[in-house]
């Protein structure tokens, strides 16, 4: 695994040689001695193959010398070796802060993607208006998540990229959620723990992220999430829906139900906005979700509600994942898969007959006015630029007649794009009626607001 150099775990002689050649490689890398620098870096890699600063300096050297294909291959290899977010953060931050989806590095990266469908999505996104391009924050995650999918397989995405789609895997986040829920809800977790098989409790399914202590806290969190969501389940979703096993979820059985983070969080979210839908809206739901992750909300709603249409708007690879996940977990549903089109009239009949539809962000411009009666955005807008947020609120107002559910960080410092987005920065229209405005009871860092848009 790529990680900082542990000086106390390397002999003084090896350390002296390593630092000598490392400093020489940095010196020559700035003097256009390309092949000499390559040799020096390779010697360093022989001595210390997993030193993160060495990987970063070599990546920067390739980037400066416009060896973008080699740089892309190096970054892919770094994620194969270190699939966790923190260990290769320096490399990804360097690439995304310098880049755009149209730059030479990302063009080379896209050309290396083996899946033709995913590659076509990225090319289409790249050719769209720049306001719909990923921010630098999402550009980082775009590359990182694609490499994770290629390395671990889409069939295991719930154990890799899903940790970046509202799936918490850091012990500090888990403890924070437990603390928040305990302030709002009382639950006898020991009662539930006694009913769970000991082998399940002791098998740490997240050992790459959590210690045994962290894993036990994770199980307590799942119990709390389940119990709280069940207490709020006026829509009786627990009786009517289940999470698909596709993607290899990290779940445990609670009262005969396989429970991951996704199931109770999603059931609670649906209950939160569903109570504000009119009877007529529920009978003819036409939903659009911006930034759906793997499609967890749609996967449950499409099981619960009849005569319903669900549209997902997202960037790859999330759009690619949600299309694979919903198409395969909801057999028998009519699907409008992503494709390029240039007018509403050219796809109107096929789009309207489909139960599930998949769009890239720029294709929102071709959706009719006041077409959807429920617009959902959960934890994705805060990582956009202010200009992009303004543009999306314009389309939300234009495309929606009904309910808009917004759930975001109350304050989010986005270092990639040098922005701080706060709750006050979301430009709701004066003619929107606020139906709910509160701190999320499951995670105090989030707020949730529900509007009615006419």
């Amino acid at each position: 695994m790529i990680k900082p150099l542990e000086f106390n775990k390397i002999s003084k002689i090896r350390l002296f040689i390593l630092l000598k050649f490392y400093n020489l490689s940095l010196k020559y890398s700035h003097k256009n001695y390309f092949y000499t620098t390559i040799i020096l870096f390779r010697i360093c890699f022989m001595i210390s193959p997993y030193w993160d600063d060495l990987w970063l300096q070599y990546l920067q050297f390739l980037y400066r010398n416009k060896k973008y294909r080699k740089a892309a291959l190096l970054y892919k290899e770094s994620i194969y070796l270190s699939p966790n977010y923190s260990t290769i953060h320096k490399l990804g931050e360097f690439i995304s802060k310098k880049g755009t989806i149209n730059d030479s590095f990302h063009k080379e990266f896209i050309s290396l993607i083996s899946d033709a469908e995913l590659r076509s999505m990225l090319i289409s996104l790249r050719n769209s208006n720049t306001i719909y391009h990923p921010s630098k924050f999402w550009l980082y995650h775009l590359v990182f998540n694609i490499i994770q999918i290629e390395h671990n397989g889409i069939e295991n995405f719930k154990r890799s990229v899903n940790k970046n789609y509202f799936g918490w895997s850091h012990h500090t986040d888990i403890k924070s959620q437990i603390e928040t829920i305990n302030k709002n809800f009382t639950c006898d977790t020991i009662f539930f723990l006694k009913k769970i098989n000991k082998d399940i409790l002791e098998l740490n399914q997240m050992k790459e992220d959590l210690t045994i202590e962290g894993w036990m806290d994770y199980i307590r969190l799942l119990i709390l999430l389940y119990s709280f969501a069940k207490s709020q389940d006026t829509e009786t979703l627990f009786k009517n829906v289940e999470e698909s096993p596709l993607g290899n979820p990290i779940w445990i059985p609670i009262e005969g139900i396989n429970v991951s983070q996704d199931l109770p969080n999603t059931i609670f979210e649906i209950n939160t906005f569903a109570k504000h839908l009119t009877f007529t809206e529920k009978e003819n739901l036409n939903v659009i979700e911006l930034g759906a992750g793997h499609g967890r909300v749609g996967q449950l709603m499409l099981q619960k509600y009849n005569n319903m249409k669900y549209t997902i708007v997202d960037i790859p690879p999330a759009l690619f994942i949600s299309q694979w996940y919903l198409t395969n977990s909801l057999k028998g549903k009519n699907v409008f898969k992503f494709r390029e089109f240039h007018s509403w009239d050219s796809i109107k009949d096929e789009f309207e007959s489909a139960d599930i539809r998949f769009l890239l962000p720029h294709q929102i411009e071709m959706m009719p006015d006041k077409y959807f009666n429920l617009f959902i955005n959960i934890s994705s807008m805060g990582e956009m630029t202010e200009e992009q947020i303004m543009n999306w609120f314009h389309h939300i107002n234009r495309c929606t007649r009904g309910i808009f559910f917004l759930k975001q960080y109350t304050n989010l410092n986005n270092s990639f794009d040098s922005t701080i987005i706060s709750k006050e920065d979301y430009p709701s229209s004066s003619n929107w009626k606020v139906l709910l405005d509160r701190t999320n009871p499951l995670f105090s860092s989030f707020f949730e607001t529900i509007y009615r848009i006419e």
Side-chain angles (χ1 to χ4, degrees):
M1 179 179 287
I2 298 170
K3 57 186 179 181
L5 185 64
E6 296 175 288
F7 291 93
N8 61 332
K9 293 186 178 180
I10 185 171
S11 69
K12 290 182 180 180
I13 295 174
R14 285 171 64 86
L15 181 61
F16 173 80
I17 296 170
L18 172 63
L19 295 180
K20 182 73 173 178
F21 280 101
Y22 178 67
N23 289 327
L24 282 173
S25 67
L26 297 184
K27 176 182 176 181
Y28 284 113
S29 69
H30 293 282
K31 292 187 175 183
N32 297 320
Y33 293 107
F34 182 81
Y35 292 107
T36 302
T37 305
I38 290 286
I39 293 169
L40 290 168
F41 270 122
R42 286 180 177 173
I43 293 171
C44 292
F45 276 114
M46 290 173 64
I47 301 170
S48 182
Y50 306 119
W51 180 20
D52 59 355
D53 281 342
L54 179 60
W55 282 77
L56 177 61
Q57 291 296 334
Y58 190 43
L59 180 72
Q60 291 176 342
F61 168 71
L62 294 173
Y63 201 98
R64 284 196 305 270
N65 285 276
K66 300 182 180 180
K67 304 296 183 182
Y68 299 115
R69 194 172 188 85
K70 287 182 179 294
L73 287 167
L74 181 75
Y75 187 46
K76 286 184 72 170
E77 186 181 355
S78 74
I79 295 176
Y80 287 177
L81 289 170
S82 300
N84 293 334
Y85 174 92
S86 58
T87 50
I88 50 81
H89 178 77
K90 291 179 184 177
L91 281 71
E93 186 177 37
F94 167 77
I95 291 164
S96 59
K97 279 189 172 182
K98 279 187 169 293
T100 70
I101 198 170
N102 264 326
D103 67 23
S104 298
F105 172 88
H106 288 93
K107 286 180 179 177
E108 287 289 354
F109 173 76
I110 290 170
S111 73
L112 291 170
I113 294 169
S114 57
D115 191 284
E117 187 174 41
L118 176 55
R119 196 166 60 247
S120 70
M121 287 182 179
L122 287 158
I123 292 170
S124 180
L125 178 64
R126 194 177 69 197
N127 293 334
S128 69
N129 188 313
T130 55
I131 200 166
Y132 298 106
H133 288 186
S135 65
K136 294 186 184 301
F137 178 97
W138 280 113
L139 187 63
Y140 168 82
H141 283 89
L142 179 153
V143 174
F144 183 80
N145 291 343
I146 286 172
I147 296 173
Q148 280 195 316
I149 294 168
E150 288 195 339
H151 182 54
N152 298 300
I154 196 168
E155 65 275 8
N156 293 304
F157 79 84
K158 289 184 181 177
R159 292 174 181 260
S160 57
V161 300
N162 197 40
K163 294 174 185 177
N164 300 323
Y165 296 154
F166 210 73
W168 311 105
S169 58
H170 294 288
H171 197 184
T172 51
D173 290 329
I174 291 165
K175 289 193 291 187
S176 176
Q177 254 191 297
I178 290 172
E179 183 181 339
T180 299
I181 299 170
N182 281 331
K183 288 178 181 177
N184 297 285
F185 182 71
T186 301
C187 171
D188 186 359
T189 54
I190 295 175
F191 170 79
F192 287 99
L193 284 168
K194 286 180 179 178
K195 292 190 171 186
I196 298 173
N197 186 292
K198 185 180 178 182
D199 291 339
I200 293 171
L201 294 177
E202 293 180 351
L203 177 61
N204 184 355
Q205 298 181 59
M206 300 176 69
K207 58 186 177 182
E208 71 278 8
D209 300 306
L210 300 172
T211 62
I212 294 297
E213 179 190 357
W215 171 245
M216 290 306 298
D217 277 341
Y218 184 80
I219 291 174
R220 293 185 185 96
L221 173 61
L222 293 185
I223 291 170
L224 285 169
L225 287 171
Y226 167 80
S227 302
F228 182 79
K230 189 177 180 182
S231 74
Q232 306 290 310
D233 189 18
T234 56
E235 293 290 299
T236 64
L237 288 157
F238 276 109
K239 292 182 179 179
N240 294 281
V241 305
E242 60 182 5
E243 180 182 353
S244 169
L246 289 175
N248 195 11
I250 301 168
W251 58 19
I252 61 169
I254 304 176
E255 295 188 330
I257 298 173
N258 287 325
V259 178
S260 73
Q261 289 184 79
D262 286 332
L263 183 70
N265 271 313
T266 307
I267 285 177
F268 178 68
E269 287 162 349
I270 295 170
N271 275 284
T272 298
F273 59 71
K275 65 184 66 175
H276 297 283
L277 294 164
T278 66
F279 176 80
T280 303
E281 287 168 342
K282 279 189 183 180
E283 289 294 300
N284 296 277
L285 275 172
N286 190 9
V287 186
I288 180 170
E289 183 175 7
L290 171 64
H294 71 267
R296 60 184 177 85
V297 178
Q299 196 259 338
L300 295 192
M301 288 191 75
L302 285 157
Q303 293 177 61
K304 168 66 177 176
Y305 301 104
N306 297 319
N307 196 30
M308 176 183 164
K309 309 291 186 181
Y310 208 94
T311 302
I312 287 178
V313 180
D314 217 331
I315 61 171
L319 190 72
F320 175 76
I321 295 169
S322 62
Q323 182 170 282
W324 177 85
Y325 182 63
L326 294 188
T327 301
N328 288 287
S329 63
L330 297 165
K331 297 290 188 180
K333 296 291 185 182
N334 188 7
V335 179
F336 180 93
K337 287 192 171 184
F338 162 76
R339 69 166 185 262
E340 279 285 7
F341 58 90
H342 301 289
S343 72
W344 169 248
D345 289 340
S346 67
I347 52 97
K348 178 180 182 295
D349 292 342
E350 186 181 350
F351 190 89
E352 293 194 327
S353 66
D355 303 302
I356 317 171
R357 305 88 161 236
F358 297 92
L359 303 174
L360 281 178
H362 66 279
Q363 294 175 316
I364 190 67
E365 295 190 347
M366 287 172 276
M367 295 296 102
D369 292 352
K370 303 302 178 183
Y371 185 71
F372 302 98
N373 59 17
L374 173 59
F375 198 111
I376 300 169
N377 182 244
I378 299 171
S379 189
S380 65
M381 209 177 286
E383 297 97 352
M384 297 181 186
T385 66
E386 291 184 21
E387 182 185 15
Q388 288 174 319
I389 293 171
M390 291 290 290
N391 182 59
W392 275 110
F393 267 72
H394 161 72
H395 285 300
I396 291 165
N397 188 50
R398 182 184 66 80
C399 292
T400 310
R401 178 177 283 117
I403 294 298
F404 170 36
F405 176 60
L406 179 69
K407 177 179 177 181
Q408 306 292 334
Y409 280 101
T410 304
N411 291 284
L412 184 62
N413 185 351
N414 173 3
S415 61
F416 288 87
D417 296 274
S418 301
T419 61
I420 300 175
I421 302 296
S422 301
K423 181 182 177 183
E424 294 73 24
D425 295 318
Y426 295 100
S428 60
S429 179
S430 58
N431 64 333
W432 295 4
K433 183 179 180 181
V434 178
L435 304 180
L436 176 74
D437 186 15
R438 69 180 182 186
T439 299
N440 179 262
L442 296 178
F443 210 112
S444 58
S445 300
F446 284 84
F447 74 91
E448 49 194 24
T449 306
I450 296 176
Y451 301 95
R452 177 160 290 282
I453 303 174
E454 300 298 337

